[in-house]
Amino acid sequence: MARSLLALASALPAVMALNNGLALTPQMGWNTWNRFGCGIDEDLIVGSAKALVSNNLTALGYNYVLIDDCWHADSRDPDTGAPVENKDKFPNGIKGVADQIHDLGLKVGIYSSAGTYTCGGKFGSLGFEEIDAKTYASWGIDYLKYDNCYNEGRAGTPPVSYERYNNMSRALNETGRPILYSMCNWGEDGPWNFAVDIANSWRISGDIYDNFDRYDVRCPCTDMLDCKLPGFHCAVTRILDFSAPLGQKAGRGHWNDLDMLEVGNGGMTFDEYVTHFSMWALVKSPLILGNDVTDMSDDTKTIITNDAIIAVNQDPNGSPATRVWKRSLPDGGDLQLWSGSLVNNQFVFAVLNTGTSNHTEDISLIDVFTDQGKSFGSGTFTLFDLWQKDDSGKWGKNIGDFQGKVSVTVGAHQTKVYRATPASGAKRAVDEL
Ligand SMILES: *[C@@H]1O[C@H](CO)[C@@H](O)[C@H](O)[C@H]1NC(C)=O
Ligand SMILES: *[C@@H]1O[C@H](CO)[C@@H](O)[C@H](O)[C@H]1NC(C)=O
Ligand SMILES: *[C@@H]1O[C@H](CO)[C@@H](O)[C@H](O)[C@H]1NC(C)=O
Ligand SMILES: *[C@@H]1O[C@H](CO)[C@@H](O)[C@H](O)[C@H]1NC(C)=O
């Protein structure tokens, strides 16, 4: 009984997603906003696209080059109402930029808001969905990030938010061009419930801030499931807390978006950025770089090129890791265990320490395999530490076979990530159900 129900459940998710064939694994790329804000132009964007290629980031999957806010002219075309770009910043138009990005083998995205203005005060798309979508398609756009500023109060209940965001979803579909639809409504009205079949991803919270755990009154919610003011300046550990109950809502073609990455922007330590990158990957958030990719430190490159962590994010199973437990530590921080399953009877788990001192803990493998059952979790597993390199220099060092428990030491603000596979001779998960 249990087995057939599970088999059925795993066959379902693809059916419910937005039917545009995109984002079957979380989208990856680079966006202008976190680092450059409104200070963007053609040279910056095309130069960054070239840097993605020359740094081999595109080979790792970072394929979308995303133009965020402030590409706009002061106003729309007065005759047609069509959106117009700022000709000083984009002398060849957005189309000219898109052509150059396509020539590099990459895809290109643009930004607007489901409101009268964008968050940067430019013209928004509310009431202009069709002409905007058509214009984007004619420019060769492959991706739309769609914000929530100046929404004229058309929010507050799921049906109203749904209708407003669905108006753009339909307009994009009607262009006939597959355009990845990335909703950015800050989790308002619970998009994980209402947007599954109209968007490829939805932001779950207020904007990220380049900080590990600082409380900021502008990110006032403690629980996104009951949040009236998503705010912004949300630290990494807070967004992760918000995401903890939402894993079940995401899957192939429809993802929880924890917001763009801050790795490389300078507000966090190496270990904190490792935590940020690892956890975004495990919960299957889009991985959108937000740093200056033309000028990166070796530490930044080390983090964003860890292909073992990226493989977890891009696992075809599309199953977000969930938090098994969160325990208070004596130093005021907490220790968290997250686990998830991958294709081919592989699993991933992470141990995260938000405290300020080193901590060593025996992690129970029965806890890790909560979803697979006690009998399965009692088996022997080969573990690979995904932040250590093996002898051949590849990420993912075999640290041995374990049964029952594994002792894990995690430094302050650090995360350890392990891939687990049943040791040879062990039964497959499905046999144990
Ligand atoms: C538009 O929606 C229909 C129905 O879901 C789908 O079959 C089609 O692929 C979509 N087209 C685009 C371009 O997204
Ligand atoms: C990119 O990959 C190529 C081929 O593997 C390699 O020769 C080159 O050094 C790499 N470049 C960078 C910047 O890592
Ligand atoms: C959706 O579009 C329709 C038709 O243009 C419009 O009447 C309606 O007000 C829009 N809904 C929202 C919530 O913006
Ligand atoms: C934590 O562990 C690391 C690595 O073992 C060590 O270098 C560091 O000094 C330790 N820090 C503290 C505060 O004990």
Side-chain angles (χ1 to χ4, degrees):
M1 181 65 179
R3 186 190 305 194
S4 55
L5 276 180
L6 271 175
L8 182 62
S10 63
L12 282 176
V15 178
M16 305 180 310
L18 173 62
N19 200 0
N20 64 2
L22 301 174
L24 298 182
T25 59
Q27 63 265 32
M28 295 175 65
W30 173 80
N31 174 295
T32 52
W33 185 258
N34 280 358
R35 181 60 172 251
F36 299 101
C38 280
I40 59 170
D41 60 20
E42 171 173 332
D43 288 348
L44 171 80
I45 291 159
V46 174
S48 299
K50 288 178 177 163
L52 288 174
V53 176
S54 64
N55 285 301
N56 290 340
L57 293 170
T58 48
L60 288 162
Y62 298 101
N63 282 325
Y64 282 101
V65 177
L66 307 177
I67 307 168
D68 207 283
D69 205 350
C70 302
W71 53 267
H72 315 63
D74 290 341
S75 54
R76 295 173 171 276
D77 183 302
D79 298 325
T80 64
V84 179
E85 63 279 78
N86 179 320
K87 290 288 195 300
D88 294 331
K89 294 173 164 191
F90 297 97
N92 298 300
I94 299 295
K95 172 127 185 21
V97 174
D99 288 346
Q100 292 174 71
I101 292 173
H102 287 148
D103 286 348
L104 292 167
L106 308 182
K107 292 182 182 294
V108 60
I110 204 161
Y111 162 98
S112 189
S113 180
T116 45
Y117 301 98
T118 68
C119 299
K122 312 299 179 185
F123 54 81
S125 293
L126 191 63
F128 291 86
E129 291 86 355
E130 281 176 30
I131 193 159
D132 286 7
K134 246 185 236 160
T135 307
Y136 302 154
S138 76
W139 287 342
I141 292 295
D142 307 299
Y143 184 121
L144 174 66
K145 171 180 168 183
Y146 203 41
D147 217 329
N148 193 26
C149 283
Y150 300 99
N151 64 29
E152 299 288 319
R154 295 191 203 174
T157 67
V160 176
S161 284
Y162 171 83
E163 188 184 312
R164 184 163 46 96
Y165 279 90
N166 190 35
N167 278 352
M168 182 54 93
S169 182
R170 283 206 324 256
L172 292 173
N173 179 276
E174 280 161 15
T175 69
R177 184 178 176 86
I179 298 178
L180 195 156
Y181 186 34
S182 160
M183 268 178 58
C184 176
N185 86 328
W186 322 321
E188 220 179 3
D189 298 324
W192 44 85
N193 288 321
F194 74 74
V196 172
D197 57 2
I198 64 166
N200 295 112
S201 63
W202 49 83
R203 282 272 304 284
I204 62 157
S205 75
D207 283 9
I208 192 171
Y209 183 57
D210 187 13
N211 186 280
F212 188 69
D213 59 0
R214 193 183 79 188
Y215 175 77
D216 192 306
V217 73
R218 289 162 290 187
C219 180
C221 293
T222 51
D223 178 0
M224 283 309 299
L225 296 178
D226 180 31
C227 178
K228 296 283 177 279
L229 186 63
F232 63 118
H233 276 214
C234 298
V236 159
T237 55
R238 303 211 70 207
I239 295 179
L240 195 57
D241 280 340
F242 295 148
S243 80
L246 302 178
Q248 56 174 321
K249 303 294 186 176
R252 284 164 64 76
H254 54 108
W255 307 106
N256 289 315
D257 179 356
L258 277 61
D259 205 358
M260 302 171 299
L261 297 164
E262 292 284 8
V263 181
N265 283 336
M268 291 184 246
T269 65
F270 180 81
D271 283 343
E272 290 170 346
Y273 280 139
V274 164
T275 293
H276 174 29
F277 190 73
S278 300
M279 295 314 302
W280 264 229
L282 261 77
V283 303
K284 308 288 199 258
S285 174
L287 295 180
I288 306 296
L289 303 169
N291 60 314
D292 181 354
V293 289
T294 68
D295 182 14
M296 295 184 281
S297 70
D298 288 345
D299 277 358
T300 297
K301 286 185 197 164
T302 297
I303 295 169
I304 66 177
T305 62
N306 183 322
D307 55 0
I309 297 291
I310 291 171
V312 168
N313 181 254
Q314 297 293 302
D315 182 83
N317 210 11
S319 173
T322 52
R323 189 156 68 193
V324 181
W325 48 249
K326 173 175 168 175
R327 295 175 180 157
S328 298
L329 292 173
D331 66 9
D334 52 63
L335 197 71
Q336 303 180 19
L337 173 65
W338 292 72
S339 85
S341 49
L342 308 171
V343 283
N344 298 332
N345 211 30
Q346 305 277 305
F347 303 87
V348 64
F349 66 97
V351 186
L352 156 60
N353 174 6
T354 71
T356 51
S357 39
N358 289 349
H359 185 80
T360 300
E361 179 102 352
D362 280 342
I363 301 296
S364 154
L365 292 177
I366 288 178
D367 286 356
V368 168
F369 296 103
T370 299
D371 284 352
Q372 288 71 35
K374 206 167 176 177
S375 163
F376 184 72
S378 306
T380 302
F381 295 89
T382 308
L383 300 186
F384 299 83
D385 181 337
L386 300 191
W387 283 105
Q388 280 194 64
K389 288 185 170 171
D390 67 15
D391 291 342
S392 68
K394 284 181 54 171
W395 288 115
K397 184 185 162 93
N398 183 336
I399 60 161
D401 288 358
F402 296 84
Q403 187 179 24
K405 62 181 166 50
V406 54
S407 173
V408 174
T409 298
V410 228
H413 296 184
Q414 196 181 46
T415 295
K416 294 275 178 77
V417 184
Y418 303 94
R419 184 166 60 80
T421 183
S424 52
K427 292 181 177 178
R428 292 178 64 86
V430 69
D431 298 333
E432 298 281 318
L433 286 171

